[in-house]
Structures are given as structure tokens and as C-alpha cells.
């Protein structure tokens, strides 16, 4: 029960704020601005929203996608890791899909806080129109405060998220239930024929409304992404026991009220409640949107960490904000870039209606990527036949492609924002992955086999000094550059030499028994492999100490590469320069691997890229 209530706060915060704007924006798109919606429009849009919740969230995510767990973890990187492990070397296209999915998730993470907070604060205009000029400043103040507090973590306030959000769902359900008596015929919206008829009879307006309908399922990706924190069963229990009934009642209540009073299209969510309850509802909605924003910001930190571990992004400083909750981390650079982007879109669009088009493309694009990756997992991991996998997943993919096409009509009206963000991030990730591969190839080209070097070093007359030196390398069979330069320039060799190779597995976590592997090459040389999962924060001294290899007397030698752009290395010069700028901004290896500064020695090396 505790996990179920907790999942309500973290997992369902985003989708729980969709009633603030989903029905309103869909009917605005159908009716054309501020015109009152017709009865047919109300029935059609409510029907489409209900069936989007049933087909996309319930059948696809709650019942199907959540089966694809990677050792209990979910999210796009986990799905990529599962698919790539099954495909092996032939899974390059899976990485590309993963890049696109991660990029669209970032676009979603930028738009969600802006959209949610703006839509909640706009309720103040119903309390008193005099507050209209202050909606934007109040929204910006809340958002800036939210991002400023991220460094303190969510450990202390997380216990309040579940009960508060559960109360929010109960209040939403009661608000909708109270208005079903306005026109009980709205229950007929469960008949999908209303939605199909609406789309077929309204042409472009129907497609525009269809794009806005998808706002009702924003946050569905969180069901899968946060599975590792709560488990599959609590998330499913919360959905069927509270979240889905509350959402359905609220949308039905808004529809019934609009059938009786179409003029309330201005803000049907808040107008479900009596005048005396407007201010408390605005405050409660603001709290709910802050919780929803917190969940997606925390999710962004987790996705970034996984992308770094999978080699899609450069190293960045990662801090833990909780001693007990592994998923509660903080990445300062990502936090401040997110804040800048969120403030930019708030100032650019100035209202939740303006942001609606941008929101839809990010969400639908991310869901299409998930469906494509899920087909690979069903085929290769679950061992379904391609025909069965296609028969199950193709209907969801078709529905989402229709939604994506509907949202594509709004590219010029805001949809360009997530597309631009996604294109920039995909370019950066592809450049980082390609540039890193070129560097490894260049190092391998100039390599000296480690076995050959150890024979030469031990047979020669190089002076030995006491102590043990650790040399990090990305290619364990080659001699690390730092080791070669240490012998060449300092003309000394330590009594003990450890060639250390760090591997990121396609599992979320690695057991302590499998963490460290030691291969003795000679009396003076050993090769050590340390493995981390893609959700773990790598800590080399702790890993070696746990294995009994580090008693606090090791010296770590690292290679500091000086990169120079070259037109002859395989990438265009502009891409070389982009990679070099990303590499310079990356957190250095000693900090990333938690190596104490007084035990790290860096030796420079020039590499053309």
C-alpha cells in the first residue's frame, strides 16, 4: 500500500494535471478559438480522450510495456539496452532510436513544467480578472524556485507527494461526479463511434483536435520510466484503483457541464467547482503541477545519468541527494540548462494554450519510439514471432502515428520547439558517440600490446619505485598512454601496476560478486576490470576497496587528452569542433570516478580528431 500511494505522487503527477488543459485545448482546436463547442464536438472529444486513456495508457503501457523490465528498471535507455543486447552488433539502429527517444524526453521535460504551472496559475484569472497581468511573473517565480531547490533533493518532501496527489485525484473525481447530473447522456462517450464520427466529419479541425487530445496521456512514459522505484504491481494497482477512475470521472464531468453550459469553455476544469472553492483549487492545482514538474525533472536526471553510462553523452558531475534512495540524484549542469530552457519557452509562449502544440509533438514522438523499440524486444527478447509481435504492437503504433500526424499540423505554431531541441540533442549525442569511437580507433592504431610492453618493462633496467600505480584505459589489451608516458619521461616503474578497465554493462546494477575481476599478467602487472550498471554512480576507490585492492595507498594515473580538429579523421571539421567543445565541458575522469584529487596524476597526450 505504501508503494502504491508513493507511485501516485511520483508516477502519476504528470498525467494527473492533464485535465487542467486537455479537454479545453481539444475543444478550442475543434471549435476554432473562443467559439462555444457543439454537442457533437463535446461527445467526440470526450470519447477520444477516454479511449486514448484506455488504449494508450492502460493497454499499451500499464499492461504491455511494463512487461519489458531490465532487471526491474524501465525507461527508454533500459529498452534500448534490452534491444541492443538481443541484437548484438547488428543493433546500431536501436541506438539511433534511443537517441531520438532520449532527445524527445528532454523536450517533454522542458515543456511539462512550463505547461503545468502556467495552466494552474491561469486559474487565478477566474478568481479575479485583476490577476491576469501577474500570471506570467507568478509562474516564473514558482519555476525558478522549483529548480533552485533541486540541489536539496526530494528525500524530505517525497513522503508528502503520494498523499497530496492522491487527494488531488479524489478532488478531481468529486468535481466531475458532481456535474454528471448536468447531462448524464455524456456517459455515451464511452461509445468509440462518437470519436470516430467526430474525426471523419470535421476535417482539419478534427485533426487539430485529435492532436490536442493526446495531451490527456502526457506522462504515460513515466509509468515505465519510474518502474524501478516502485515496481510493476503498485503502479498498476494505483492506475486501476484510483487514477483511471478519477481521470475518467473528471473528463466526463467537464463534458456534461459543457453540454449544459457551453459558454464555460473558457476554463472548464476550474469551473467544475463553486466560486468559494476556486482559490483553494488553484492553490491545490499549483501544488499538483509542482509535484508533476518535480517528477519529470528527477526523471531527466536519471535519463541523463543512464545516457552518460551508455556513452551517449559526455561525463557530467552527478550528486546523490539521498543516502537511501538510489534514484534521487542531482546533476547541476542539467538542472540549470533545464531552467534556462523552461524560462525561455514560458516567456516565448506566455500561456498554456500557446504551449499545447509544442507539448503534443514531444509526447507523441517519444511514444512512437517506444513502440518501435518494444517490437524489437517482443521479437528478440520475449521470443514472439515477428507476425505476433507486429499484430500486437502495430495497432498502437498506428494510433500514435495518427496522433503524431495530427500534431505535425502545428509545427509552425509551437511544434518546432521540441523538434529543434530533439534535432540538436541527437546531433550532439551522435557526435559524441562517433567522436569517442574515432578516438578509441586512433589510440588502438598507435597501440603497443600490453603483453609485449610487460615483457619489455620487466626485462629492461627501468628503475623500480615502491607503491602501486593504477592506469585507467578504455582498451584493456593495449598499454595505457599514461603508463607509456610515465616510463618514457619519468623512467620509472612502480613495484605494482594495475591496468584498470571500466565497463558499463547493459544491466541497471551489477552485483558485488561480479563487480571486480582481476587477471594477473606478471609479478608486477595485473589487469583489473570494474563493472557498473547503467543506473549506478561509478566509484572506483570504493569498488577496489570492497574487493580488497585499495587500502588507501594507490596512485591513479590518467591520460588528459588534448584534442585537435582534423579534416582527415572521419568527421566534418564542424563536428570535430563540436566534439572537442563537449569534451572540454565534460567532468574530468578523476571527479567522475570519485578519485580523490590528492591521489590522481594526469599526463597529457595530443590526439587528432
Amino acid at each position: 500500500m505504501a508503494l502504491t500511494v508513493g507511485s501516485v505522487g511520483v508516477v502519476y503527477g504528470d498525467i494527473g494535471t492533464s485535465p487542467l488543459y486537455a479537454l479545453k485545448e481539444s475543444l478550442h482546436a475543434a471549435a476554432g478559438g473562443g467559439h462555444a463547442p457543439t454537442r457533437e464536438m463535446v461527445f467526440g472529444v470526450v470519447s477520444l480522450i477516454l479511449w486514448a486513456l484506455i488504449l494508450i495508457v492502460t493497454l499499451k503501457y500499464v499492461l504491455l510495456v511494463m512487461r519489458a523490465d531490465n532487471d526491474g528498471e524501465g525507461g527508454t535507455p533500459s529498452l534500448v539496452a534490452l534491444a541492443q543486447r538481443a541484437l548484438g552488433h547488428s543493433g546500431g539502429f536501436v541506438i539511433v532510436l534511443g537517441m531520438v527517444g532520449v532527445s524527445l524526453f528532454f523536450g517533454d521535460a522542458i515543456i511539462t513544467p512550463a505547461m503545468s504551472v502556467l495552466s494552474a496559475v491561469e486559474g487565478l484569472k477566474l478568481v479575479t480578472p485583476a490577476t491576469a497581468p501577474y500570471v506570467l511573473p507568478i509562474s516564473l517565480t514558482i519555476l525558478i524556485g522549483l529548480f533552485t531547490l533541486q540541489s536539496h533533493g526530494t528525500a524530505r518532501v517525497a513522503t508528502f507527494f503520494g498523499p497530496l496527489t492522491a487527494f488531488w485525484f479524489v478532488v478531481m473525481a468529486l468535481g466531475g461526479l458532481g456535474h454528471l447530473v448536468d447531462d448524464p447522456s455524456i456517459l455515451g462517450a464511452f461509445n468509440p463511434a462518437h470519436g470516430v464520427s467526430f474525426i471523419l466529419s470535421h476535417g482539419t479541425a478534427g485533426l487539430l483536435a485529435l492532436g490536442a487530445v493526446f495531451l490527456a496521456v502526457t506522462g504515460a512514459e513515466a509509468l515505465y520510466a519510474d518502474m524501478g522505484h516502485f515496481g510493476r504491481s503498485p503502479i498498476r494497482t494505483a492506475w486501476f484503483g484510483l487514477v483511471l477512475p478519477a481521470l475518467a470521472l473528471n473528463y466526463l464531468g467537464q463534458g456534461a457541464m459543457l453540454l449544459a453550459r457551453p459558454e464555460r469553455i473558457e476554463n472548464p476544469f476550474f469551473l467544475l467547482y463553486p466560486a468559494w472553492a476556486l482559490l483553494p483549487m488553484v492553490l491545490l492545482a499549483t501544488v499538483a503541477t509542482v509535484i508533476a514538474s518535480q517528477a519529470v525533472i528527477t526523471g531527466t536526471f536519471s535519463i541523463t545519468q543512464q545516457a552518460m553510462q551508455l556513452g551517449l553523452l559526455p561525463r557530467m558531475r552527478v550528486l546523490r541527494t539521498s543516502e537511501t534512495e538510489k534514484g534521487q540524484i542531482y546533476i547541476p549542469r542539467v538542472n540549470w540548462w533545464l531552467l534556462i530552457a523552461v524560462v525561455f519557452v514560458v516567456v516565448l509562449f506566455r500561456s498554456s494554450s500557446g504551449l499545447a502544440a509544442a507539448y503534443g509533438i514531444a509526447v507523441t514522438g517519444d511514444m512512437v519510439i517506444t513502440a518501435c523499440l518494444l517490437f524489437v524486444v517482443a521479437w528478440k527478447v520475449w521470443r514472439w514471432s515477428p507476425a505476433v509481435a507486429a499484430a500486437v504492437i502495430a495497432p498502437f503504433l498506428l494510433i500514435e502515428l495518427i496522433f503524431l500526424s495530427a500534431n505535425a499540423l502545428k509545427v509552425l505554431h509551437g511544434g518546432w520547439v521540441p523538434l529543434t531541441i530533439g534535432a540538436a540533442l541527437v546531433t550532439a549525442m551522435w557526435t559524441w558517440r562517433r567522436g569517442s569511437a574515432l578516438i578509441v580507433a586512433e589510440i588502438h592504431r598507435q597501440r603497443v600490446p600490453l603483453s609485449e610492453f610487460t615483457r619489455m618493462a620487466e626485462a629492461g633496467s627501468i628503475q623500480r619505485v615502491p607503491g602501486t600505480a593504477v592506469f585507467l584505459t578504455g582498451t584493456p589489451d593495449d598499454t595505457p598512454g599514461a603508463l607509456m608516458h610515465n616510463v618514457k619521461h619519468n623512467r620509472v616503474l612502480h613495484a605494482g601496476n594495475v591496468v584498470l578497465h571500466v565497463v558499463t554493462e547493459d544491466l541497471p546494477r551489477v552485483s558485488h560478486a561480479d563487480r571486480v575481476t582481476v587477471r594477473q599478467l606478471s609479478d608486477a602487472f595485473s589487469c583489473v576490470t570494474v563493472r557498473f550498471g547503467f543506473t549506478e554512480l561509478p566509484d572506483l576507490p570504493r569498488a577496489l576497496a570492497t574487493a580488497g585492492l585499495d587500502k588507501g595507498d594507490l596512485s591513479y594515473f590518467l591520460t588528459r587528452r588534448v584534442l585537435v580538429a582534423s579534416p582527415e579523421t572521419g568527421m566534418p571539421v564542424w563536428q570535430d569542433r563540436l566534439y572537442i567543445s563537449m569534451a572540454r565541458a565534460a567532468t574530468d575522469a578523476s571527479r567522475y570516478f570519485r578519485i580523490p584529487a590528492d591521489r590522481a596524476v594526469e599526463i597529457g597526450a595530443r590526439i587528432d580528431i
Side-chain angles (χ1 to χ4, degrees):
M1 182 58 68
L3 286 172
T4 300
V5 174
S7 70
V8 172
V10 175
V11 175
Y12 294 111
D14 191 358
I15 200 170
T17 57
S18 296
L20 285 166
Y21 46 78
L23 184 64
K24 178 185 72 172
E25 297 303 330
S26 301
L27 289 173
H28 276 172
H35 296 90
T38 64
R39 188 176 183 85
E40 182 186 4
M41 289 178 183
V42 173
F43 268 96
V45 169
V46 173
S47 179
L48 289 171
I49 288 176
L50 292 175
W51 280 97
L53 291 171
I54 293 169
L55 295 175
I56 301 300
V57 185
T58 306
L59 294 183
K60 179 188 174 184
Y61 280 92
V62 175
L63 297 179
L64 184 62
V65 175
M66 288 181 66
R67 290 188 58 201
D69 69 293
N70 189 350
D71 193 23
E73 292 290 332
T76 300
S78 290
L79 206 55
V80 169
L82 277 174
Q84 193 176 27
R85 188 193 314 163
L87 292 172
H89 295 295
S90 61
F93 77 96
V94 168
I95 289 292
V96 175
L97 286 176
M99 291 179 184
V100 176
V102 169
S103 299
L104 289 172
F105 183 88
F106 274 95
D108 186 4
I110 291 169
I111 299 170
T112 292
M115 180 82 175
S116 300
V117 173
L118 267 174
S119 60
V121 178
E122 283 170 351
L124 287 173
K125 292 189 289 186
L126 298 176
V127 179
T128 169
T131 60
Y134 304 102
V135 168
L136 197 62
I138 292 173
S139 299
L140 288 173
T141 301
I142 292 171
L143 289 167
I144 292 171
L146 175 62
F147 281 93
T148 303
L149 293 174
Q150 289 302 310
S151 60
H152 298 286
T154 59
R156 294 181 179 178
V157 297
T159 53
F160 299 103
F161 282 8
L164 272 176
T165 311
F167 178 67
W168 166 252
F169 278 110
V170 170
V171 171
M172 281 201 301
L174 293 175
L177 188 62
H179 280 273
L180 283 181
V181 296
D182 290 354
D183 195 330
S185 66
I186 190 63
L187 294 173
F190 277 108
N191 182 352
H194 288 290
V196 174
S197 173
F198 168 75
I199 295 173
L200 295 178
S201 62
H202 282 75
T204 303
L207 283 177
L208 290 172
L210 187 63
V213 162
F214 216 77
L215 296 173
V217 296
T218 57
E221 285 285 330
L223 308 183
Y224 182 48
D226 290 322
M227 185 167 61
H229 297 289
F230 300 97
R232 185 186 298 113
S233 183
I235 292 175
R236 285 176 172 170
T237 301
W239 175 253
F240 288 110
L242 174 64
V243 179
L244 178 58
L247 291 174
L249 282 172
N250 191 270
Y251 286 121
L252 288 167
Q254 289 189 51
M257 180 185 69
L258 290 174
L259 288 175
R261 301 173 185 174
E263 71 278 2
R264 292 196 169 188
I265 186 61
E266 177 192 358
N267 203 320
F269 177 85
F270 285 112
L271 292 175
L272 286 175
Y273 302 92
W276 61 265
L278 276 180
L279 184 57
M281 279 305 301
V282 170
L283 296 176
L284 181 59
T286 303
V287 172
T289 56
V290 168
I291 292 173
S293 302
Q294 176 64 59
V296 77
I297 293 167
T298 303
T300 305
F301 295 153
S302 298
I303 293 293
T304 301
Q305 181 202 357
Q306 294 179 29
M308 287 189 295
Q309 291 286 73
L310 292 173
L312 301 180
L313 289 173
R315 294 186 300 262
M316 286 177 270
R317 190 182 181 201
V318 181
L319 304 175
R320 285 196 183 278
T321 59
S322 171
E323 294 296 326
T324 58
E325 300 296 327
K326 294 180 180 179
Q328 293 185 9
I329 58 175
Y330 171 65
I331 305 178
R333 192 173 300 170
V334 172
N335 184 67
W336 300 122
W337 276 110
L338 268 181
L339 173 59
I340 292 170
V342 169
V343 169
F344 171 76
V345 299
V346 168
V347 173
L348 179 66
F349 291 98
R350 307 185 72 83
S351 71
S352 60
S353 296
L355 275 166
Y359 207 3
I361 287 185
V363 175
T364 51
D366 202 8
M367 289 184 174
V368 166
I369 296 298
T370 296
C372 294
L373 291 171
L374 186 64
F375 171 79
V376 177
V377 171
W379 174 26
K380 292 294 187 179
V381 180
W382 298 344
R383 302 298 182 185
W384 293 5
S385 71
V388 172
V392 172
I393 295 167
F396 298 115
L397 181 60
L398 177 62
I399 292 170
E400 289 162 356
L401 285 173
I402 293 173
F403 277 114
L404 182 60
S405 301
N407 277 288
L409 298 174
K410 305 174 184 177
V411 168
L412 298 179
H413 302 284
W416 58 270
V417 173
L419 294 179
T420 303
I421 294 169
L425 286 171
V426 168
T427 301
M429 285 189 281
W430 178 256
T431 298
W432 182 256
R433 187 174 175 84
R434 177 63 179 151
S436 299
L438 289 174
I439 285 180
V440 170
E442 179 64 16
I443 292 172
H444 189 71
R445 188 180 66 81
Q446 301 174 358
R447 76 187 183 103
V448 174
L450 184 59
S451 56
E452 179 182 330
F453 179 86
T454 56
R455 288 196 301 270
M456 293 170 53
E458 294 192 326
S461 57
I462 301 174
Q463 181 180 348
R464 299 295 182 94
V465 295
T468 301
V470 178
F471 299 91
L472 269 69
T473 181
T475 51
D477 294 328
D478 300 338
T479 306
L483 175 56
M484 293 178 59
H485 289 297
N486 188 46
V487 172
K488 179 180 178 181
H489 297 290
N490 296 328
R491 302 186 182 280
V492 296
L493 193 67
H494 285 74
N497 298 274
V498 176
V499 177
L500 181 62
H501 179 46
V502 179
V503 176
T504 299
E505 300 287 357
D506 54 9
L507 297 170
R509 291 167 294 276
V510 173
S511 66
H512 290 297
D514 299 327
R515 177 81 67 199
V516 178
T517 304
V518 180
R519 179 165 56 96
Q520 199 67 38
L521 303 176
S522 66
D523 292 339
F525 287 89
S526 61
C527 187
V528 176
T529 301
V530 181
R531 295 176 174 84
F532 295 101
F534 61 79
T535 64
E536 296 181 295
L537 298 181
D539 189 330
L540 284 181
R542 177 182 293 181
L544 295 177
T546 302
L549 301 177
D550 187 357
K551 298 179 176 60
D553 59 345
L554 298 183
S555 297
Y556 293 82
F557 287 76
L558 304 94
T559 302
R560 164 128 359 220
R561 300 186 180 99
V562 178
L563 305 177
V564 179
S566 171
E568 302 174 357
T569 55
M571 288 197 306
V573 173
W574 70 265
Q575 211 168 7
D576 289 338
R577 290 172 177 164
L578 174 59
Y579 180 85
I580 291 170
S581 65
M582 294 172 69
R584 287 174 179 168
T587 300
D588 60 81
S590 59
R591 175 176 287 188
Y592 183 73
F593 290 117
R594 306 298 195 272
I595 299 171
D598 58 352
R599 295 169 61 190
V601 179
E602 293 186 341
I603 299 176
R606 169 177 165 150
I607 296 180
D608 291 334
I609 180 173

